């Protein structure tokens, strides 16, 4: 009788005191399976092909986005995920697509033009329009506090200028502003972050504030119009005076074009508008500066999608076991801009997150918590889809819904093709410690660590919709590769810009992180009520051309 008692006692002690080592051993075995599945059977590039080549671009409210979302739901169902569905939210604006666009110089030479159409603007007549080019050069002057920024005029200065040129606008192809002088990049930024730099950044004992690579423009001077006011006045002036086409300078090197949208989303308030590559725009302007008249021709066919007022987030799950009412989420935004096929921004983020969950399903993981993939829409218009989802399902720390306390973290990728190098999680320092320890074995993939964040500001990407609510949003920092320099929101954002080895390794790291949170006994630590950072007094807006938060 004594021997069974001893054995029972030893087993009891092992369970009581050895649960963590046992889990660690299990994690090591699972991580090995994750690595093998992710490197040998990856579905990322095929998923990316469908999102970009078949369905891209995927502007919010467009049929392309809905088709891509439906395909993703079907694909995840084929992989064995549960409850794959499109969840509607109200975008509030009709959808828009550009179906055809061509442009030419017809005099003094004949040549084709390279441009993109501004979203939510009208098209031309069916057979196109022809007209002479006109230089609209609104008076601007350097800001006295920062001469790198040009100040809009005052109301009276703008009115005087408009009065002087309004008789010359009707039927013209109006070039708005002098061409940007784009400097040659002698020392382009590195495509990867060197190890010493990133290790210092993620050192938990020596974290420093991140530098602001995107400084804000100085505040307007007294009496000066804001940039938004000037834009609204320009739109109204060109529409009232019946300009044929508005032409904006892309202002970027090597033919790069970023074309966003008419901020009102109302095609009746603007004229047909294109964003032209700097090289073509500059050529036309220089010809006119040399007293050579220039004639242009455009044929732009756009279509409004009334049903686009309702958009959709795509969700699918791997149902948990003993803690299935608790949720770990991962995702990215499926919508894109329309100048290219939205590969690095952000089809690849969606493909990586779908793959991370697929890996866990394929190797037979039975997660304790439910794992939920979410592919958002409306991100490019201000994180709208993820905000709607968080509000509907979780609420906020100030007004929690029943699911709020059962939420265990949301992982987000949205900075291109570069490898995952680190993470930032909203929560106290011990929140970062959990993830840092769980992912320590992926140093060979270049993953260096996790830092915590206290910011509830909204902006950058969809994890901040969770942060703003007081929930643990987890942003992934990646090697920049060509994201900020070439592909972010540009006409170069295509399948060819993806580095397959990088995205495979990112999916493996994410899969391991999701596994760790889905299996541990407790949810991620959160701020105690007294320590919870306060939200911004005014929710931080996300303007159209918003640089992505890197982590």
């Amino acid at each position: 009788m004594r021997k069974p008692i001893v054995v029972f006692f030893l087993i009891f002690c092992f369970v009581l005191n050895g649960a963590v080592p046992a889990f660690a051993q299990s994690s090591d075995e699972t991580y090995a399976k994750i690595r093998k599945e992710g490197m040998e059977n990856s579905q990322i590039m095929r998923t990316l092909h469908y999102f970009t080549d078949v369905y891209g671009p995927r502007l919010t409210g467009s049929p392309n986005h809905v088709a891509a979302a439906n395909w993703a739901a079907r694909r995840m169902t084929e992989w064995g995920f549960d409850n794959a569905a499109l969840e509607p939210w109200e975008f509030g604006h009709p959808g828009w697509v550009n179906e055809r666009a061509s442009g030419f110089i017809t005099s003094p030479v004949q040549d084709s033009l390279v441009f993109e159409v501004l979203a939510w603007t009208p098209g031309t007549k069916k057979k196109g329009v022809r007209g002479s080019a006109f230089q609209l050069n609104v008076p601007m002057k350097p800001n006295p506090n920062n001469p790198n920024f040009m100040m809009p005029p005052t109301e009276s200065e703008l009115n005087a200028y408009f009065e002087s040129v309004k008789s010359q606008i009707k039927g013209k192809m109006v070039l708005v502003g002098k061409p940007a002088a784009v400097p040659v990049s002698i020392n382009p930024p590195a495509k990867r972050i060197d190890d010493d730099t990133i290790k210092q950044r993620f050192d938990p004992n020596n974290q420093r504030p991140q530098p602001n690579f995107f400084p804000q423009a100085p505040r307007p001077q007294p009496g000066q119009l804001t940039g938004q006011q000037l834009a609204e006045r320009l739109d109204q002036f060109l529409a009232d005076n019946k300009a044929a086409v508005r032409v904006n300078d892309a202002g970027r090197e090597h033919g790069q074009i970023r074309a966003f949208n008419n901020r009102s989303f109302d095609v009746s308030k603007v004229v047909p508008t294109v964003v032209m590559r700097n090289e073509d725009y500059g050529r036309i302007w220089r010809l006119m500066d040399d007293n050579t008249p220039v004639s242009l021709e455009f044929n732009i066919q756009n279509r409004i999608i009334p049903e686009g007022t309702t958009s959709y987030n795509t969700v699918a799950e791997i149902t948990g076991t003993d803690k299935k009412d608790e949720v770990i989420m991962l995702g990215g935004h499926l919508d894109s801009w329309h100048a290219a096929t939205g590969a690095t921004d952000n089809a690849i983020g969606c493909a990586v997150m779908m793959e991370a969950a697929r890996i866990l399903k394929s190797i037979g993981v039975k997660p304790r918590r439910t794992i939920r993939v979410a592919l958002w829409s409306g991100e490019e218009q201000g994180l709208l889809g993820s905000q709607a989802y968080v509000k509907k399902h979780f609420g906020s720390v100030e007004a929690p819904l029943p699911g709020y306390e059962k939420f265990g973290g949301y992982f987000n990728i949205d900075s291109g093709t570069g490898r995952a190098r680190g993470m930032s999680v909203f929560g106290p320092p011990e929140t970062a410690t959990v993830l840092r320890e769980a992912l320590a074995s992926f140093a060979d993939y270049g993953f260096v660590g996790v830092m915590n964040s206290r910011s509830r500001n909204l902006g950058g990407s969809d994890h901040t919709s969770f942060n703003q609510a007081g929930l643990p949003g987890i942003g992934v920092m990646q090697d920049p590769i060509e994201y900020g320099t070439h592909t972010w929101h540009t006409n170069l954002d295509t399948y060819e810009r993806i580095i397959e080895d990088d995205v495979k390794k990112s999916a493996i790291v994410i899969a391991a992180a999701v596994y760790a949170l889905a299996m541990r006994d407790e949810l991620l630590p959160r701020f105690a009520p007294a320590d919870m950072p306060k939200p911004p007094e005014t929710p931080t807006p996300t303007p159209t051309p918003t640089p992505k938060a890197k982590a």
Side-chain angles (χ1 to χ4, degrees):
M1 294 297 292
R2 182 176 293 275
K3 186 174 181 180
I5 292 174
V6 171
V7 171
F8 177 81
F9 179 76
L10 291 174
I11 292 173
F12 176 80
C13 291
F14 178 77
V15 171
L16 183 65
N17 300 314
V20 174
F23 176 72
Q25 183 179 7
S26 175
S27 294
D28 290 343
E29 294 171 357
T30 302
Y31 286 179
K33 293 179 181 179
I34 288 172
R35 286 175 181 254
K36 180 178 174 63
E37 177 66 23
M39 295 306 294
E40 296 181 4
N41 300 311
S42 175
Q43 297 295 305
I44 291 177
M45 300 307 286
R46 181 164 179 78
T47 300
L48 181 73
H49 159 65
Y50 274 88
F51 283 157
T52 58
D53 299 334
V54 178
Y55 298 116
R58 305 169 305 279
L59 194 66
T60 299
S62 70
N64 286 26
H65 169 261
V66 175
N70 276 306
W71 179 86
R74 292 194 302 272
R75 190 64 171 150
M76 288 188 283
T77 298
E78 292 169 0
W79 289 343
F81 292 15
D82 306 313
N83 305 320
L86 271 61
E87 182 172 313
W89 61 274
E90 290 308 307
F91 178 42
H93 307 291
W96 177 97
V97 292
N98 168 247
E99 297 181 329
R100 185 181 298 258
S102 60
F104 307 90
I105 298 179
T106 57
S107 176
V109 296
Q110 295 195 32
D111 205 350
S112 57
L113 299 168
V114 179
F115 63 90
E116 298 292 339
V117 180
L118 198 73
W120 284 280
T121 57
T124 61
K125 299 174 183 177
K126 287 293 184 183
K127 294 184 178 181
V129 292
R130 292 188 174 194
S132 57
F134 179 81
Q135 296 172 312
L136 187 74
N137 195 14
V138 172
M140 307 277 280
K141 52 190 175 183
N143 187 287
N145 299 320
N146 189 340
N148 293 322
F149 289 92
M150 300 299 291
M151 296 194 310
T154 64
E155 183 80 22
S156 60
E157 289 170 338
L158 184 62
N159 287 339
Y161 177 71
F162 280 169
E163 189 65 28
S164 71
V165 299
K166 70 178 185 179
S167 63
Q168 305 172 61
I169 298 299
K170 186 175 181 179
K172 297 292 179 64
M173 310 294 185
V174 181
L175 278 69
V176 178
K178 292 181 179 181
V182 181
V184 174
S185 180
I186 303 298
N187 297 302
K191 289 181 168 58
R192 295 204 186 276
I193 306 170
D194 71 85
D195 289 345
D196 287 342
T197 298
I198 197 165
K199 286 177 181 177
Q200 289 176 9
R201 177 173 177 181
F202 282 91
D203 182 351
N205 300 313
N206 190 32
Q207 289 188 11
R208 303 174 183 175
Q210 298 180 34
N212 183 11
F213 294 107
F214 302 97
Q216 297 297 309
R219 291 183 178 275
Q221 299 294 300
Q224 171 198 346
L225 294 170
T226 65
Q228 182 172 341
Q229 288 171 331
L230 175 59
E232 291 170 351
R233 291 293 310 279
L234 273 170
D235 286 339
Q236 182 180 356
F237 174 75
L238 294 175
D240 289 347
N241 291 281
K242 296 179 171 46
V245 174
R246 173 175 175 168
V247 184
N248 296 336
D249 175 21
R252 296 184 62 80
E253 65 179 357
H254 303 310
Q256 293 180 25
I257 300 171
R258 286 176 176 164
F260 297 112
N261 63 284
N262 157 31
R263 289 177 181 270
S264 74
F265 295 91
D266 185 345
V267 298
S268 69
K269 293 184 177 181
V270 294
V271 300
T273 303
V274 302
V275 183
M276 187 176 292
R277 69 174 179 176
N278 179 254
E279 295 85 347
D280 285 346
Y281 191 96
R283 179 187 188 186
I284 295 168
W285 194 279
R286 289 189 297 272
L287 286 168
M288 298 177 72
D289 269 356
D290 200 30
N291 297 315
T292 302
V294 176
S295 295
L296 306 176
E297 174 185 326
F298 287 97
N299 188 335
I300 303 167
Q301 303 304 318
N302 302 329
R303 182 162 59 96
I304 292 297
I305 313 297
E307 61 270 27
T309 54
T310 298
S311 189
Y312 302 90
N313 296 319
T314 309
V315 295
E317 298 178 336
I318 301 173
T319 305
T321 54
D322 62 309
K323 293 179 178 288
K324 65 181 179 180
D325 58 336
E326 298 178 353
V327 178
I328 309 298
M329 294 186 65
L330 66 163
H333 70 90
L334 186 55
D335 67 301
S336 76
W337 288 111
H338 54 292
T341 56
T344 68
D345 190 16
N346 184 37
I348 194 57
C350 293
V352 164
M353 295 314 210
M354 287 171 62
E355 172 71 2
R358 185 203 67 80
I359 289 170
L360 297 177
K361 185 70 177 179
S362 294
I363 66 174
V365 166
K366 303 296 182 184
R368 301 180 69 189
R369 296 180 178 85
T370 294
I371 297 169
R372 183 178 301 157
V373 179
L375 313 180
W376 314 111
S377 63
E379 192 273 353
E380 298 293 8
Q381 290 72 45
L383 317 183
L384 302 180
S386 57
Q387 286 188 71
Y389 187 90
V390 170
K391 182 178 181 180
K392 176 180 178 180
H393 290 273
F394 305 115
S396 68
V397 65
E398 288 80 17
L401 295 178
Y404 187 87
E405 295 299 335
K406 296 182 179 296
F407 180 78
Y410 165 74
F411 294 88
N412 191 81
I413 276 192
D414 187 17
S415 293
T417 188
R419 289 176 301 170
R421 303 296 305 277
M423 295 177 184
S424 172
V425 55
F426 178 79
E430 54 267 32
T431 307
T433 300
V434 169
L435 284 167
R436 186 184 306 115
E437 292 177 351
L439 299 175
S441 63
F442 291 92
D444 60 320
Y445 280 6
F447 190 86
V448 298
V450 183
M451 59 185 177
N452 72 299
S453 169
R454 294 183 54 85
S455 174
R456 291 179 67 183
N457 286 339
L458 185 71
S461 196
D462 291 294
H463 59 290
T464 64
S465 294
F466 293 83
N467 297 357
Q468 187 185 53
L471 293 167
I474 305 162
V476 178
M477 182 180 183
Q478 301 162 251
D479 277 327
I481 311 297
E482 303 168 324
Y483 189 68
T485 57
H486 292 78
T487 66
W488 174 59
H489 294 169
T490 78
N491 54 325
L492 306 184
D493 189 9
T494 62
Y495 179 100
E496 289 76 12
R497 303 277 64 82
I498 300 303
I499 301 174
E500 184 172 356
D501 186 68
D502 275 29
V503 298
K504 285 180 176 180
K505 288 175 177 174
S506 291
I508 288 168
V509 170
I510 297 295
V514 170
Y515 173 78
L517 297 195
M519 300 301 288
R520 68 192 305 266
D521 289 336
E522 304 296 332
L523 290 169
L524 276 176
R526 297 190 190 179
F527 288 111
D531 297 329
M532 175 64 70
K534 295 185 180 301
E537 291 185 10
T538 302
T540 307
T542 304
T544 297
T546 304
K548 304 296 183 188
K550 296 302 178 185

